Amino acid sequence: MGPAGPVYRSNAARSAAAMVVVFLAAKMVSGQDMTPVTNHQEFLAALNSPSVQQIAITKPSTLNSSLGPATVTRQLLITSPFRAILDWCDEACNTGAAPANPFLVAGPGAMITFNRLFFRNFIPHSQAALNNTALDFPKTPIPYVQSTGGQVTYNLVVMHWTPDMFWVFSTPNTYWPQAAVSDIWSVGVKRHLQFETPQVYNVKNFALDGTATIADCYMPVDVHGCLTDQPFDTTLIYW
């Protein structure tokens, strides 16, 4: 498992291609009452704007662990026209150099849907993060997204797992071990979750208390950490 057939391009070509992608993505969402965002500041501003009901992430983004949280109490769709990467924990967050804060809180009345995104680093790399009472490990698949009465649904989201994140599966009273018992199955030959062989898994219709629901999502289990610290334009291919 790992990046296959890398093609190296000049920085100018890479930047030009990125500009074209962002432009086309903005064109796709224009006229559909969607608010395009290209970085974590714009994302946070859109979350905090009561008039925004649909957010289109049009460029890969790393969320700053010192920003947030945004509290949402409305119906909100967060999507991407091309399954953009959303990196939940920056380097300072993963190393424990900075305290991690929740980025989004679903308040009473909120109905938030994450759709067609690619999540990286959505579990902190250190088990010491359990001591951070600001994060919610028991009730939500993404500890940086909390609920104080609202509902959050994840649909067609790719959740990329690396070895630094596996610790959560052996930690009682957290969301993921409970999902793994019955609702995580490998794609193709149906097998339970294991960490010895690279594999893509699927999890459907799983919820604990109704505030966080995985409708239909995929989990590439990157056993060898092929995508760890790789640029956003690196592709992970499973075969």
Side-chain angles (χ1 to χ4, degrees):
M1 176 185 66
V7 177
Y8 298 96
R9 296 173 291 176
S10 68
N11 289 335
R14 192 184 299 272
S15 299
M19 290 177 65
V20 170
V21 168
V22 171
F23 172 75
L24 291 176
K27 290 281 287 183
M28 289 176 66
V29 301
S30 64
Q32 299 179 24
D33 297 323
M34 284 199 177
T35 300
V37 300
T38 62
N39 55 51
H40 60 269
Q41 292 97 338
E42 292 178 0
F43 186 30
L44 191 62
L47 291 172
N48 282 321
S49 176
S51 63
V52 173
Q53 295 188 348
Q54 299 183 69
I55 297 174
I57 299 177
T58 60
K59 190 176 181 180
S61 299
T62 299
L63 303 181
N64 190 315
S65 58
S66 64
L67 296 179
T71 299
V72 172
T73 57
R74 63 189 187 277
Q75 184 170 330
L76 179 64
L77 171 66
I78 304 170
T79 188
S80 170
F82 58 92
R83 192 169 276 117
I85 294 172
L86 199 60
D87 195 324
W88 288 92
C89 193
D90 59 17
E91 183 178 358
C93 167
N94 274 325
T95 60
N101 299 312
F103 193 81
L104 174 60
V105 176
M111 296 182 65
I112 302 170
T113 300
F114 287 92
N115 184 69
R116 287 183 56 83
L117 292 163
F118 189 106
F119 286 177
R120 287 174 66 168
N121 296 316
F122 55 92
I123 298 292
H125 290 188
S126 171
Q127 191 167 355
L130 285 171
N131 298 324
N132 184 353
T133 55
L135 300 181
D136 187 352
F137 287 93
K139 295 181 180 180
T140 171
I142 315 298
Y144 306 100
V145 179
Q146 300 181 2
S147 172
T148 57
Q151 299 179 13
V152 183
T153 300
Y154 302 87
N155 185 56
L156 301 179
V157 173
V158 176
M159 301 178 175
H160 175 249
W161 289 88
T162 61
D164 290 336
M165 300 158 64
F166 293 168
W167 62 265
V168 75
F169 285 102
S170 59
T171 304
N173 301 319
T174 61
Y175 185 96
W176 284 105
Q178 299 175 76
V181 169
S182 59
D183 286 85
I184 298 177
W185 296 93
S186 60
V187 174
V189 179
K190 195 172 182 180
R191 296 191 181 96
H192 279 297
L193 180 65
Q194 54 84 29
F195 302 103
E196 288 76 36
T197 306
Q199 181 62 268
V200 178
Y201 294 85
N202 178 230
V203 54
K204 285 186 178 182
N205 303 321
F206 182 78
L208 292 178
D209 61 2
T211 59
T213 301
I214 298 180
D216 188 2
C217 294
Y218 289 89
M219 299 170 43
V221 176
D222 187 358
V223 171
H224 303 300
C226 296
L227 203 58
T228 302
D229 298 325
Q230 293 295 322
F232 283 147
D233 59 359
T234 302
T235 301
L236 187 65
I237 298 176
Y238 291 77
W239 63 88

